[in-house]
Amino acid sequence: WKGSVVSDTFGIHVTETTECTQCQFQYPSHRFTRFFQMVPFELWRESWLRSGGGSLPEGLLKGTYNREYRRCHKCSKDEDVDFEVRHNLEPSRPPPGCFALLVQWLAGDVSSNDIATLLDLMPLTMDLSLVVSNVPPNTPYRLRCMICLYGAHFIIIAFNPTVFQWVQYDDGKVTALGGWDGVVDKLNWGKSVVSDAFGIHVTETTECTKCQFHYPSHKFTRFFHMVPFEAWREAWRQSGGSDMPEVLLKRTYHREYRHCQKCSKQEDVEFEVRHCIEKDRPPPGCFTLLVQWLGGDVSSHDIATLLSLMPLTMDISLVVSNLDTPTHYRLRCMICLYGQHFITIAFNPTVFQWVQYDDGKVTALGGWDGVVDKLKKGRFQPEVCFYEKVPEALVPEV
């Protein structure tokens, strides 16, 4: 590739040295041309969490792809250890015209939360001298193009200097996205039918309740709210049955238990998670709860307990921060599991009663008491619960 257009445009000509961090053995160095920098997302995010958000993007990148985990032939032939990998630019070769990052995901079906985290980590401009050694100081690069995967389909999002905005190229279709915020919206389902119907656009902050360390905040779009049944029931027991359903929900899914990089790397501690809705984005038309059960064989008693906890109407301004006025939703549909089979129970406004849809069979259940009786006797587990936003005109004045 030496002296080619590809090499001059994308190639970083480096000498690589590798050292085992456990025994400090240095493996023989070798020279090669690097055309893209592979960055595993999980490692990138872990570096960010460990830094507490205090490192420069270039430092996180260097710390991520300058690390390898494999066996050392000198000190650890049976298990992987940490290696430090250093890249030094060849003095006789200038930096390339284009610096390319290849993001490695664990799977092709990535959550909106992970995409939002990546966009927080990914710099719009970077100084390559802080990533690769021997590069002249102050060698800036700016983001200009991304190839994105959606399902089994690729699209390109690039900055078009002619119209001075970001543009999406999808086969023969060209769509103007505007500024960087438009790109973030597009990648994070920002402005779509799905987003308008189900998406709550929030900023999430996380704090360790043991050491009060605040982890970096990030923005993302939340399409459903996972509520573990056991935690929901425990919150209800601790409250003595006196708290409002919205307060119990907030207390349940605003708690996490995991390792803290600052005070508890060996055992799980409690984290408080806060979600503040973006001021410029209205609440969605539908608020969705995803109930997490410990197993598929749930007792009739547990189903009855869930139904007593699950509100028929709720004010999500008591669940999500930053909503100034009450925002009411009402339960309209549930997807329920029975064995390995799903059914739908929904309120039909035409006949003004609840109806069960089971493949081609439709059964009228009447009022809410009929739904409760059906779920308890049939041991149907509510899995996904859809709440419809109530028009302001229908909300009774207090």
Side-chain angles (χ1 to χ4, degrees):
W1 293 95
K2 186 175 181 180
S4 68
V5 174
V6 174
S7 176
D8 293 341
T9 303
F10 295 97
I12 298 182
H13 311 279
V14 296
T15 298
E16 180 181 88
T17 58
T18 308
E19 177 182 331
C20 173
T21 60
Q22 184 165 297
C23 67
Q24 284 72 53
F25 178 76
Q26 291 189 347
Y27 283 74
S29 62
H30 63 283
R31 299 164 67 183
F32 65 96
T33 301
R34 193 163 199 159
F35 292 97
F36 48 79
Q37 326 302 314
M38 291 186 291
V39 184
F41 168 71
E42 296 293 332
L43 291 180
W44 202 357
R45 178 173 59 183
E46 184 64 24
S47 296
W48 172 64
L49 290 173
R50 286 180 178 177
S51 75
S55 295
L56 290 169
E58 295 91 340
L60 293 177
L61 274 175
K62 186 173 184 178
T64 300
Y65 86 85
N66 280 15
R67 279 285 185 275
E68 290 182 359
Y69 296 91
R70 53 184 174 85
R71 297 178 185 180
C72 176
H73 296 291
K74 290 291 182 179
C75 70
S76 180
K77 296 182 179 180
D78 296 325
E79 60 181 18
D80 291 343
V81 293
D82 184 15
F83 280 78
E84 181 178 356
V85 183
R86 305 183 189 94
H87 298 104
N88 293 303
L89 183 73
E90 289 290 300
S92 62
R93 305 301 296 270
C98 182
F99 179 77
L101 288 180
L102 177 61
V103 182
Q104 294 176 294
W105 301 92
L106 289 181
D109 186 16
V110 180
S111 70
S112 177
N113 193 351
D114 285 345
I115 292 173
T117 301
L118 174 71
L119 294 173
D120 283 340
L121 296 175
M122 193 167 63
L124 295 182
T125 61
M126 73 165 71
D127 182 358
L128 189 62
S129 68
L130 302 178
V131 181
V132 180
S133 302
N134 253 16
V135 172
N138 299 318
T139 305
Y141 286 74
R142 57 190 178 187
L143 181 63
R144 278 299 177 259
C145 180
M146 295 181 291
I147 299 175
C148 304
L149 175 66
Y150 175 64
H153 182 66
F154 286 97
I155 65 169
I156 293 176
I157 294 178
F159 184 80
N160 188 323
T162 304
V163 295
F164 207 75
Q165 62 178 306
W166 291 85
V167 178
Q168 174 185 323
Y169 301 89
D170 185 358
D171 295 334
K173 185 179 180 182
V174 179
T175 307
L177 302 178
W180 180 247
D181 288 343
V183 176
V184 173
D185 278 342
K186 187 67 178 181
L187 295 180
N188 201 22
W189 291 89
K191 293 180 179 179
S192 66
V193 174
V194 174
S195 177
D196 292 342
F198 296 96
I200 295 185
H201 312 279
V202 296
T203 298
E204 180 182 88
T205 58
T206 309
E207 177 185 342
C208 174
T209 60
K210 185 176 182 180
C211 67
Q212 284 72 54
F213 179 73
H214 287 264
Y215 281 77
S217 63
H218 62 285
K219 297 180 179 181
F220 65 96
T221 301
R222 191 161 200 159
F223 293 98
F224 49 81
H225 306 266
M226 292 185 289
V227 184
F229 167 69
E230 298 292 333
W232 201 357
R233 180 173 58 182
E234 185 60 29
W236 170 66
R237 287 174 175 170
Q238 291 178 0
S239 74
S242 60
D243 284 340
M244 298 173 63
E246 294 91 338
V247 175
L248 292 177
L249 272 176
K250 186 173 184 176
R251 187 180 303 157
T252 301
Y253 87 86
H254 281 208
R255 283 286 187 273
E256 290 182 359
Y257 295 89
R258 54 184 173 84
H259 294 180
C260 176
Q261 300 298 330
K262 291 292 182 180
C263 72
S264 180
K265 296 182 179 181
Q266 302 300 323
E267 59 182 19
D268 290 345
V269 294
E270 183 180 358
F271 281 77
E272 181 177 355
V273 183
R274 304 182 188 94
H275 297 106
C276 292
I277 194 168
E278 292 291 298
K279 277 291 188 182
D280 60 338
R281 305 302 295 271
C286 184
F287 181 80
T288 309
L289 290 181
L290 178 61
V291 183
Q292 294 177 295
W293 301 92
L294 289 181
D297 187 17
V298 178
S299 70
S300 179
H301 178 72
D302 284 346
I303 292 172
T305 301
L306 174 74
L307 294 173
S308 67
L309 295 174
M310 194 167 65
L312 293 182
T313 62
M314 74 166 77
D315 177 5
I316 71 163
S317 69
L318 302 177
V319 180
V320 181
S321 303
N322 234 20
L323 282 173
D324 297 329
T325 57
T327 307
H328 296 275
Y329 287 75
R330 56 190 176 189
L331 182 64
R332 277 297 176 260
C333 180
M334 294 183 292
I335 299 175
C336 303
L337 176 66
Y338 174 66
Q340 296 182 339
H341 183 65
F342 287 97
I343 65 166
T344 300
I345 294 178
F347 183 80
N348 189 322
T350 304
V351 295
F352 209 75
Q353 60 178 308
W354 290 87
V355 177
Q356 174 184 324
Y357 301 90
D358 185 358
D359 295 334
K361 186 179 180 181
V362 179
T363 307
L365 302 178
W368 179 247
D369 289 343
V371 175
V372 173
D373 187 59
K374 184 70 176 183
L375 294 181
K376 288 167 60 177
K377 289 182 178 179
R379 293 174 62 187
F380 294 157
Q381 298 172 220
E383 297 280 334
V384 187
C385 306
F386 297 95
Y387 286 79
E388 173 193 42
K389 191 172 186 293
V390 180
E392 293 184 11
L394 298 181
V395 177
E397 294 184 5
V398 179

